[in-house]
């Protein structure tokens, strides 16, 4: 079996065609490509740490091309560097957010490297479960962060995995409500959702729909942007053409919001509002000048740390905790509440 070329960094003791080629977005992608070009490093000694005295924790995320996961990686690295005697860390990410097979391969690779724990933000809520079940059978602790694994799939696999992450539905509702405050009942809105087999994508879609229903807005279209900026750009352009009375595009993450904003600019439809989710640095200029009404900060750097701390506690003998809901905060621009 071939070993996937995962994006992975170890710590021991110590696209953009057309409208989305703005300088800001290019800088984001160049930074992400810098992460994905680094090779894996071989671990010395046993899997329980470089010298066998510390547990090896593998952080397995989605695409590091998304700034949210880059922040998550940075938080984990800082946490390990502050107390290097506690554990060793491997940071993994995918090149393509939709490449579930690659993430399955990364899990298998971490088991082969004898990680003591895998802290994972699964790209798919169901497809990762069999690989994680095999990891548990191999004696590897699994902690689920960010995107919740499917309860039925876990039950079928006989697997219990603690979850540490935000209430995605509540967070998305906050962002949608911020947009709704600028609209009137009956106004038309559309939703650009994430990968539909991911629980956080489903929850965010529900939250955005909740906000629209509460404000008596009309959802005229819902499509998946696969979490990706370029795909969302194309979908938003089609939505704008099909719905000349569209007043807002509600997006399930910031990468897709960037794509929607680019499509709106290209169409000359500045009256169409946009919301996102994740509060990545790339959207700050859009918040400041009103191209983005709101996003949601789920504190990715802290989320990774809380998952790692949960794993370390269990490895030290603590009982597996109940699922933990982490903090979310609405982030808006300086003119929040003003008429568009």
């Amino acid at each position: 079996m071939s070993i996937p070329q995962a994006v992975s960094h170890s710590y021991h003791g110590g696209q953009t065609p057309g409208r989305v080629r703005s300088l800001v977005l290019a800088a984001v992608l160049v930074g992400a490509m810098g992460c994905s070009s680094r090779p894996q490093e071989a671990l010395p000694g046993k899997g329980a740490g470089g010298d066998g005295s510390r547990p090896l924790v593998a952080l397995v995320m989605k695409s590091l091309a998304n700034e949210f996961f880059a922040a998550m990686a940075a938080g984990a690295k800082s946490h390990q560097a502050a107390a290097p005697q506690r554990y060793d860390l491997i940071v993994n990410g995918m090149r393509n957010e939709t490449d579930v097979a690659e993430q399955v391969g990364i899990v298998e690779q971490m088991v082969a490297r004898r990680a003591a724990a895998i802290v994972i933000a699964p790209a798919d809520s169901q497809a990762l479960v069999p690989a994680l079940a095999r990891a548990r059978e191999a004696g590897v602790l699994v902690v689920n962060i960010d995107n919740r694994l499917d309860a039925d799939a876990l039950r079928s696999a006989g697997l219990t995995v603690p979850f540490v992450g935000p209430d995605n539905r509540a967070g998305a509702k906050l962002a949608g409500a911020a947009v709704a405050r600028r609209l009137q009942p009956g106004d038309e809105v559309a939703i650009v959702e994430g990968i539909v087999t991911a629980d956080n994508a489903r929850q965010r879609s529900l939250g955005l729909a909740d906000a629209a229903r509460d404000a008596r807005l009309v959802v005229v279209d819902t499509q998946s942007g696969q979490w990706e900026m370029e795909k969302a750009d194309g979908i938003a352009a089609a939505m704008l053409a099909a719905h000349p009375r569209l007043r807002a595009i509600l997006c399930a993450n910031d990468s897709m919001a960037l794509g929607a904003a680019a499509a709106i600019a290209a169409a000359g439809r500045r009256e169409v509002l946009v919301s996102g989710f994740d509060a990545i640095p790339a959207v700050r200029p859009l918040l400041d000048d009103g191209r983005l009404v709101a996003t949601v900060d789920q504190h990715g750097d802290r989320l990774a740390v809380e998952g790692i701390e949960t794993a370390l506690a269990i490895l030290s003998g603590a009982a597996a905790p109940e699922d933990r809901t982490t903090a979310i905060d609405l982030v808006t621009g300086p003119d929040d509440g003003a008429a568009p």
Side-chain angles (χ1 to χ4, degrees):
M1 179 180 66
S2 63
I3 296 176
Q5 296 302 305
V7 180
S8 177
H9 305 161
S10 303
Y11 303 87
H12 311 287
Q15 66 219 260
T16 60
R19 296 186 290 273
V20 292
R21 283 181 175 166
S22 69
L23 291 175
V24 171
L25 303 189
V28 171
L29 295 177
V30 167
M33 291 173 65
C35 291
S36 62
S37 64
R38 295 178 63 177
Q40 281 195 340
E41 299 173 15
L43 283 174
K46 298 179 179 179
D51 60 1
S53 63
R54 298 178 298 277
L56 173 61
V57 176
L59 177 63
V60 180
M61 298 172 293
K62 302 179 191 175
S63 172
L64 288 178
N66 185 326
E67 279 189 305
F68 173 74
F69 293 104
M72 185 180 285
K77 294 172 188 176
S78 296
H79 182 261
Q80 192 275 340
Q85 73 283 358
R86 294 184 65 198
Y87 70 104
D88 290 337
L89 175 67
I90 302 177
V91 175
N92 298 273
M94 303 150 59
R95 289 187 175 86
N96 185 339
E97 195 135 351
T98 61
D99 193 347
V100 176
E102 181 181 11
Q103 197 177 44
V104 169
I106 292 172
V107 169
E108 294 172 343
Q109 197 173 0
M110 294 304 99
V111 173
R113 295 178 73 163
R114 292 181 289 174
I118 292 175
V119 178
I120 184 169
D124 187 288
S125 295
Q126 299 179 353
L128 267 293
V129 170
L132 296 174
R134 292 192 293 273
R136 287 294 298 127
E137 290 173 359
V140 180
L141 172 67
V142 177
V143 174
N144 176 200
I145 62 172
D146 179 52
N147 174 37
R148 187 188 293 270
L149 293 164
D150 183 80
D152 290 337
L154 288 173
R155 194 176 303 111
S156 296
L159 191 60
T160 301
V161 176
F163 174 73
V164 179
D167 184 333
N168 284 283
R169 184 169 182 167
K173 186 176 180 179
L174 286 175
V179 172
R181 287 194 289 273
R182 297 179 166 211
L183 301 178
Q184 300 296 322
D187 280 346
E188 295 183 355
V189 302
I191 295 173
V192 180
E193 57 187 358
I195 297 173
V196 296
T197 53
D199 181 77
N200 60 346
R202 293 194 295 264
Q203 295 303 315
R204 291 180 195 180
S205 292
L206 289 171
L208 295 171
D210 290 342
R213 184 190 60 249
D214 289 353
R216 291 182 290 164
L217 306 176
V218 180
V219 180
V220 295
D221 199 355
T222 299
Q223 296 188 49
S224 173
Q226 302 283 308
W227 298 129
E228 294 179 358
M229 180 169 51
E230 186 176 357
K231 191 170 185 64
D233 181 5
I235 287 172
M239 287 175 166
L240 292 165
H243 304 285
R245 298 178 58 192
L246 192 66
R247 292 302 315 283
I249 300 176
L250 310 176
C251 300
N253 78 351
D254 283 348
S255 292
M256 297 190 297
L258 288 167
I264 289 168
R269 298 277 300 275
R270 183 64 187 265
E271 79 280 5
V272 179
L273 307 179
V274 181
S275 69
F277 199 111
D278 285 339
I280 63 176
V283 302
R284 187 71 252 177
L286 282 71
L287 286 167
D288 290 342
D289 65 18
R291 284 176 290 166
L292 185 71
V293 173
T295 184
V296 175
D297 190 352
Q298 56 173 325
H299 308 285
D301 54 343
R302 287 157 45 187
L303 177 55
V305 168
E306 292 194 40
I308 290 170
E309 284 288 0
T310 297
L312 293 175
I314 298 172
L315 291 172
S316 296
E322 298 292 331
D323 291 350
R324 294 175 54 194
T325 301
T326 55
I328 51 173
D329 290 299
L330 180 67
V331 180
T332 60
D335 60 345
D336 179 44

